[in-house]
Amino acid sequence: MLGHPQGRRYNVRRGVNANWDLVFQSAARRQVAIEIDGLWDRQDVHYALAARALAHGCIFALDSDAHSNPELDSVDIALAHAKLAGILQEGIINYWSNTKILDWARGAWDR
């Protein structure tokens, strides 16, 4: 999984500038999941960039980036970004069956 792809934080750092299309092409080819982090000050990757990743065939992992119980609700922000990007449930590893996610994880060594 590619976690915190941009590394951005609101009012702290802008995040990485990269050739995101090239990054997403490579991630899609290798079936590397792109993280959508819902913590309010990260929102990394945001929906517009997630839509570009989706167009390249990427899969996604959604999370709250919680470091305390109240931050668990931040997963709603990640879900909103996924929805705005047009990502379907099948493309989100959090929704996969245990068998499918274990097969995907085992296959990581072959990629």
Side-chain angles (χ1 to χ4, degrees), residues 4-10 12-18 20 44:
H4 298 309
Q6 293 178 286
R8 72 186 195 141
R9 290 193 61 206
Y10 180 74
V12 175
R13 62 179 175 259
R14 297 181 70 169
V16 173
N17 286 321
W20 291 110
D44 179 14

Side-chain angles (χ1 to χ4, degrees), residues 2 9 18 24 36 40 44 53 62 68-69 77 82 93 98 105 108-109:
L2 180 58
R9 290 193 61 206
F24 297 145
I36 299 180
W40 72 270
D44 179 14
L62 308 183
S68 64
N69 287 346
I77 296 172
I93 67 171
N98 290 344
W109 298 108

Side-chain angles (χ1 to χ4, degrees), residues 46-59:
H46 58 81
Y47 68 91
L49 199 52
R52 283 173 57 190
L54 180 63
H56 288 288
C58 288
I59 57 175

Side-chain angles (χ1 to χ4, degrees), residues 80-103:
H81 280 281
K83 185 171 182 141
L84 288 168
I87 301 167
L88 301 177
Q89 189 170 325
E90 313 67 79
I92 300 171
I93 67 171
N94 307 61
Y95 289 101
W96 291 357
S97 68
N98 290 344
T99 302
K100 184 173 180 176
I101 201 160
L102 288 171
D103 287 346

Side-chain angles (χ1 to χ4, degrees), residues 6 11 13 33 43 69 76 104:
Q6 293 178 286
N11 265 353
R13 62 179 175 259
Q43 297 183 40
N69 287 346
D76 291 342
W104 170 75

